[in-house]
Amino acid sequence: MRNLGWTLHGNGKAVEAGAVVSPDERLTWPRTIGIGMQHVVAMFGATLLVPTITGFPVSTTLLFSGIGTALFLIITRGRVPSYLGSSFAFLAPLGATQADGPAAQLGAVLCVGVVLAAVGFVVKFAGQRVLEAAMPPVVTGAVVVLIGLNLAPAATTSFEAQPLIAAVTLIAILLATALGPGLIGRLGILVGVVLGWVFAAVTGGIAQPRLDALSAASWIGLPEFRGPSFELSVILVALPVVIVLVAENVGHVKAVAAMTGKNLDDVAGDALIADGLATTLAGAGGGSGTTTYAENIGVMAATRVYSTAAYWVASITAMVLAFSPKFGALIFTVPDGVIGGATLVLYGLIGLLGVRIWTDAKVDFTDPVNLMVVAAALVAGIGDLTLSVGSVELGGIAWGSVGILLGYPIVSALARSAGTRGR
């Protein structure tokens, strides 16, 4: 039986032991809708936390994440189940460029999307070997680490603003992750944010202007659209995010391939193109940049349902919720302390993703070239080295990324030509 392109899995009511529901299969529609709702819950906390922290419109971000997910499913031809939520990698450059205004920040998001799509076309036609040559794991891991840890001062500042609320949020995240069964454990950050939020509401920790805005917001209305402008200094700070998005998208494709037993190497380029276009659209209209979501990988692993039909449900649900200004205003009542408790974990997780790239690839840190170049890049990024080139001021993320992207191949080539490093 086929319906809208999906084959019914078995009787549509259960997943047999040892079996999985493939991307081109589905369960009965009530079950598919239920699983789609789980995907909405899984992406919710992280996707909405990004605009809450950066000041971008929540409803607009939600709308473009839903549109981006639909675009991703179409471009990958329904072969890669994924939700495109807000990328945490954008938090650092957006935080560093707040003084430049939202229009310039959106222009940077748009440019990141265009470059990511261009990388996708290269990978599609030349193969993944191009990526591996230009961005070996030692380079990719270093950029991801410095992007994550560059944010550390922002997390501690938010934590210090409301330390009790932040501590409650952090403890709730840790306990939910350690003790929560199944899906609850995988959604530890969302659980912690909700509990910290409730604690703040009970103890009077939510700012009154935010509550007034919630009361005044209408239930139904259009999202707030914004247009981009383009400033070179802001764009250069954001461009290193492309490396993170490449790593996340390719990693997602590999993870889905491993879990479904299907070869998806030929679709990696399509995934990058799709996320690039989704991020471009978001930057053009006022939303946050997007990426594939590990949170939803957890839902698929728990349910063994990889049906893209469930992701269409999640996409449509997100787009519907985006047309409620009341919902967006509710999200903006999240206090600084809750953000501080959550980001203390989140920003560290971004950095540790880079460490995981190193360990998975078995990067050799007894090699002096790896040690020296990575060390310099990390300190530039984490210490937020800020220097001007002409009238363009660049911060630590840009200098650290440029240092590792240019410095590593140059120093490696010099070491090989001098015979101090094996070929």
Side-chain angles (χ1 to χ4, degrees), residues 72-409:
F72 187 94
L73 295 172
I74 292 169
I75 291 175
T76 59
R77 304 178 300 283
R79 295 178 61 195
V80 184
S82 179
Y83 190 90
L84 291 190
S86 302
S87 170
F88 287 118
F90 281 98
L91 288 175
L94 293 179
T97 57
Q98 281 187 336
D100 296 284
Q105 291 177 313
L106 287 171
V109 170
L110 187 153
C111 289
V112 167
V114 171
V115 173
L116 181 61
V119 171
F121 280 109
V122 172
V123 171
K124 183 176 177 65
F125 294 108
Q128 289 191 50
R129 287 172 297 179
V130 175
L131 276 182
E132 294 165 1
M135 294 187 296
V138 63
V139 170
T140 306
V143 173
V144 176
V145 170
L146 69 87
I147 285 176
L149 299 188
N150 176 270
L151 290 162
T156 55
T157 298
S158 295
F159 197 106
E160 291 163 358
Q162 293 177 307
L164 179 58
I165 293 172
V168 168
T169 303
L170 177 60
I171 292 169
I173 290 172
L174 297 176
L175 291 178
T177 302
L179 305 176
L183 186 60
I184 297 298
R186 293 189 177 94
L187 300 178
I189 292 175
L190 174 61
V191 172
V193 166
V194 170
L195 291 177
W197 196 0
V198 171
F199 179 78
V202 171
T203 58
I206 300 178
Q208 189 59 45
R210 298 188 184 189
L211 294 174
D212 294 340
L214 174 63
S215 299
S218 57
W219 283 100
I220 299 175
L222 290 174
E224 178 187 348
F225 295 106
R226 298 173 176 175
S229 64
F230 301 96
E231 295 183 21
L232 181 60
S233 60
V234 181
I235 293 168
L236 291 176
V237 170
L239 279 181
V241 172
V242 171
I243 296 173
V244 184
L245 299 183
V246 168
E248 289 176 337
N249 277 273
V250 173
H252 183 90
V253 171
K254 289 181 178 178
V256 171
M259 289 188 290
T260 60
K262 296 181 180 294
N263 186 339
L264 297 174
D265 288 349
D266 63 320
V267 82
D270 291 326
L272 294 171
I273 293 169
D275 191 16
L277 293 178
T279 296
T280 301
L281 283 177
S288 299
T290 61
T291 189
T292 51
Y293 256 35
E295 288 86 344
N296 297 95
I297 285 277
V299 175
M300 292 190 288
T303 61
R304 289 181 291 139
V305 176
Y306 300 88
S307 172
T308 53
Y311 281 97
W312 276 106
V313 171
S315 169
I316 293 168
T317 301
M319 286 188 271
V320 170
L321 285 174
F323 288 89
S324 175
K326 179 76 75 176
F327 176 75
L330 174 65
I331 299 301
F332 264 122
T333 63
V334 176
D336 291 340
V338 172
I339 292 173
T343 53
L344 207 68
V345 176
L346 284 171
Y347 296 165
L349 288 176
I350 298 171
L352 289 176
L353 173 61
V355 176
R356 181 179 174 184
I357 290 171
W358 286 335
T359 56
D360 287 349
K362 297 180 173 60
V363 173
D364 181 11
F365 279 114
T366 64
D367 181 340
V369 172
N370 290 345
L371 277 174
M372 298 300 182
V373 180
V374 169
L378 288 185
V379 172
I382 296 169
D384 199 24
L385 174 67
T386 303
L387 299 170
S388 295
V389 179
S391 60
V392 179
E393 185 178 83
L394 300 177
I397 294 174
W399 285 117
S401 299
V402 168
I404 190 71
L405 285 167
L406 297 181
Y408 180 77

